[in-house]
Amino acid sequence: GAGVSQSPSNKVTEKGKDVELRCDPISGHTALYWYRQSLGQGLEFLIYFQGNSAPDKSGLPSDRFSAERTGGSVSTLTIQRTQQEDSAVYLCASSLGPSGGGEQYFGPGTRLTVT
Amino acid sequence: GQQLNQSPQSMFIQEGEDVSMNCTSSSIFNTWLWYKQDPGEGPVLLIALYKAGELTSNGRLTAQFGITRKDSFLNISASIPSDVGIYFCAGRRIYNQGGKLIFGQGTELSVKP
């Protein structure tokens, strides 16, 4: 079946502009996660959505970062007034939720470059 | 943010050799996962572990959930060139809010034919 998809695959933007990154989770997965991966580093948790519950935003690095999940499916991560340190690969993952054992499946990522 | 201590950071081995890498934490985890990431791709799940002491295999890969719940290791036997990539451990803590995973820094594996 279809895996997690993300768009765009690459995004180059100027410092100060806003960007939107999109994630389509695996059908039937109730949990959705956003992570950030800087060059040569592990993954850093950003935000987690589970069903209709309030999202866990504890990993968002600043108030310039926000995310929405509409209809329990597609999610959009928005970065306002981008800075050069925001350059990274943004990865989305989905899972079956609390009953699914924690196995998260990742999309291919969006590589963001802020110039 | 918090990360697991993963070692080694990189390995250069000959094709056919066995590989071992591990992750440790100061906190207890209730789930350990091992992922492989190829350049330009997202991480791909290799093995999932849910019980202390659990030993699980997936082909030439074997992983164990440490008895103390604070560590895990991954072994690759008889390595082949397509094993090249970055391997990440990831864990979910007991009482962790939500299902977020905490990741190690990765082990970059290079295999010489």
Side-chain angles (χ1 to χ4, degrees), chain B:
Chain B
Q2 179 183 357
Q3 286 191 319
L4 299 171
N5 295 316
Q6 185 173 349
S7 65
Q9 285 189 325
S10 61
M11 302 182 73
F12 297 85
I13 63 169
Q14 201 75 33
E15 182 178 357
E17 291 183 351
D18 297 345
V19 172
S20 183
M21 59 192 79
N22 69 84
C23 273
T24 60
S25 170
S26 57
S27 303
I28 290 174
F29 282 74
N30 69 355
T31 302
W32 285 94
L33 305 172
W34 285 91
Y35 288 87
K36 179 179 183 247
Q37 187 175 29
D38 291 329
E41 305 284 332
V44 173
L45 181 64
L46 299 174
I47 292 180
L49 303 159
Y50 300 104
K51 288 175 54 177
E54 180 180 357
L55 185 72
T56 297
S57 293
N58 177 7
R60 294 178 295 105
L61 278 60
T62 301
Q64 185 159 29
F65 191 141
I67 288 291
T68 65
R69 297 177 177 264
K70 294 182 178 181
D71 62 341
S72 177
F73 72 75
L74 174 71
N75 286 343
I76 306 173
S77 63
S79 58
I80 59 178
S82 62
D83 291 334
V84 165
I86 303 177
Y87 292 79
F88 290 99
C89 62
R92 189 173 67 182
R93 290 171 55 190
I94 293 178
Y95 308 125
N96 192 29
Q97 183 179 4
K100 67 184 180 186
L101 294 175
I102 298 170
F103 280 80
Q105 303 96 321
T107 295
E108 185 170 8
L109 179 63
S110 301
V111 179
K112 291 183 287 187

Side-chain angles (χ1 to χ4, degrees), chain A residues 60-74:
Chain A
L60 295 178
S62 78
D63 59 8
R64 296 187 294 105
F65 288 73
S66 62
E68 290 185 342
R69 188 178 185 192
T70 54
S73 180
V74 171

Side-chain angles (χ1 to χ4, degrees), chain A residues 35 37 45 48 58 101 103-104 107, chain B residues 35 37 42 50 98-101:
Chain A
Y35 293 86
Q37 185 175 30
F45 168 77
Y48 159 56
S58 61
E103 297 178 19
Q104 296 180 18
Chain B
Y35 288 87
Q37 187 175 29
Y50 300 104
K100 67 184 180 186
L101 294 175

